[in-house]
């Protein structure tokens, strides 16, 4: 019977939990294993157990909780799109209840192709939540398009009717064409009314330089010495998202590392910016990727690794701490390095009986017994 109680009271590391053993010893049925339930969701941490005669606050009969600090996370919980494993099956966002269905918007007109859908956590780039586009290869064709006489019998507004068969086609819009002198597919603002497109006439009149084929709303803005507005958006080079421009990151503290939240895209590097991102404190030059993590009262992340002090194995200033189970100011065991003392640990080791507070290196040796009270290695030095 004593052997059985010892087995039940052992924790996951093989060490005997004296509190659990005492509890089970007083139970008529030997007690039951309970799991620590810190977040109160009814399911506990399988790694933290105790034996008790009955249910107690903060403990649960089930032990499958994979995050005992979050009450919404437990076995069988609803999986949602948040990057976490809500139902503790080992996979995050595997069967979320809040999937979003979207449709591919190949032409960028805000309306998607009903034949090309995607269901996932959020709407990816190039997809929209509207599936009513009847031609996803033309940005001018969508339910918001304007029906016009174009000689192609094209249903621009996706209502099932085209050109003269569509009563929505307005006379004042159907014949507006523009001369395209440079042949880049975009015409000048000048309007020429015609029933059908012809050579040199196009429907788009947004070309800002109809004598340069490299300049049009469909062109790519590039970094150039003449500061030309190639894409006709009213901006050029550094004032635009020019191809060939670099992304620069603000470096307020001059440590050579910038922050991701303050960037500019320019052809040339502006003052106070660098090409290396990753600084987690741009007001302190000693804090940067590659900096030295140190133990400090601010728990600062000096090396920008995402962890600090006790959570960063590279932190300088850590000391050894030892488990003091009997609270006699002496610990025992292998110990571990940490900036701060965890609860129940102390910096001194050498306790030869970590379950008895009257036995430690500072205790007085008692004559006439076989106990080594002062942990000197020998009993009775009397």
């Amino acid at each position: 019977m004593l052997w059985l109680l010892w087995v039940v009271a052992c924790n996951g590391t093989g060490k005997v939990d004296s509190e659990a053993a005492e509890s089970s010893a007083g139970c008529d049925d030997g007690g039951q294993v309970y799991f620590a339930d810190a977040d109160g969701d009814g399911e506990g941490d399988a790694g933290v157990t105790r034996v008790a005669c009955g249910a107690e606050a903060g403990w649960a009969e089930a032990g499958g909780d994979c995050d005992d600090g979050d009450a919404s996370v437990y076995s069988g919980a609803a999986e949602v799109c948040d990057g976490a494993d809500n139902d503790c099956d080992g996979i995050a966002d595997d069967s979320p209840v809040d999937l979003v269905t979207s449709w591919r918007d190949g032409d960028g007109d805000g309306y998607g192709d009903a034949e090309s859908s995607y269901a996932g956590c959020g709407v990816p780039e190039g997809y929209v939540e509207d599936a009513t586009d009847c031609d996803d290869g033309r940005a001018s064709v969508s339910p918001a398009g304007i029906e016009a006489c174009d000689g192609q019998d094209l249903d621009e507004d996706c209502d099932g009717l085209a050109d003269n068969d569509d009563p929505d086609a307005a006379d004042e819009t159907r014949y507006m064409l523009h001369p395209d002198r440079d042949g880049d597919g975009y015409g000048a603002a000048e309007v020429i009314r015609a029933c059908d497109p012809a050579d040199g006439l196009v429907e788009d009149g947004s070309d800002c330089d109809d004598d340069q084929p490299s300049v049009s709303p469909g062109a790519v803005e590039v970094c150039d010495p003449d500061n030309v507005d190639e894409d006709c958006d009213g901006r050029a080079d550094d004032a635009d998202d020019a191809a060939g421009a670099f992304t620069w990151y603000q470096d307020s503290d001059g440590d050579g590392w910038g922050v991701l939240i303050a960037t500019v895209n320019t052809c040339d590097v502006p003052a106070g910016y660098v090409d290396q991102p990753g600084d987690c404190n741009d007001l302190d030059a000693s804090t940067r990727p590659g900096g030295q993590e140190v133990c400090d009262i601010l728990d600062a992340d000096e090396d920008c690794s995402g962890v600090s002090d006790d959570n960063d194995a590279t932190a300088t200033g850590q000391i050894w701490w030892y488990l003091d189970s009997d609270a006699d100011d002496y610990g025992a065991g292998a110990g571990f390095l940490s900036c701060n003392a965890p609860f129940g640990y102390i910096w001194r080791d050498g306790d030869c009986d970590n379950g008895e507070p009257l036995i430690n290196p500072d205790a007085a040796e008692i004559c006439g017994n076989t106990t080594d009270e002062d942990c000197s290695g020998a009993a009775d030095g009397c």
Side-chain angles (χ1 to χ4, degrees), residues 101-104 113-119 127:
T101 299
S102 56
W103 290 267
R104 184 177 182 275
D113 182 0
E115 300 298 321
S116 181
S117 65
Y118 170 82
Y127 283 72

Side-chain angles (χ1 to χ4, degrees), residues 58-154:
W59 297 83
E61 295 183 12
D65 200 331
C66 55
D67 185 352
D68 202 33
D70 188 342
S72 67
V73 176
Y74 55 86
S75 298
E79 190 73 24
V80 297
C81 292
D82 60 0
D85 179 18
N86 311 99
D87 58 4
C88 293
D89 65 353
I91 306 173
D93 292 348
D94 53 333
S95 299
V97 298
D98 54 350
L99 285 178
V100 177
T101 299
S102 56
W103 290 267
R104 184 177 182 275
D105 181 17
D107 54 12
D109 60 5
Y111 296 85
D113 182 0
E115 300 298 321
S116 181
S117 65
Y118 170 82
C121 294
V123 179
E125 184 176 356
Y127 283 72
V128 294
E129 294 186 69
D130 186 298
T132 58
D133 202 341
C134 56
D135 186 343
D136 202 37
R138 298 173 186 264
S140 62
V141 177
S142 74
I146 298 175
E147 190 69 33
C149 177
D150 54 14
Q152 302 177 51
D153 202 30
L154 189 64

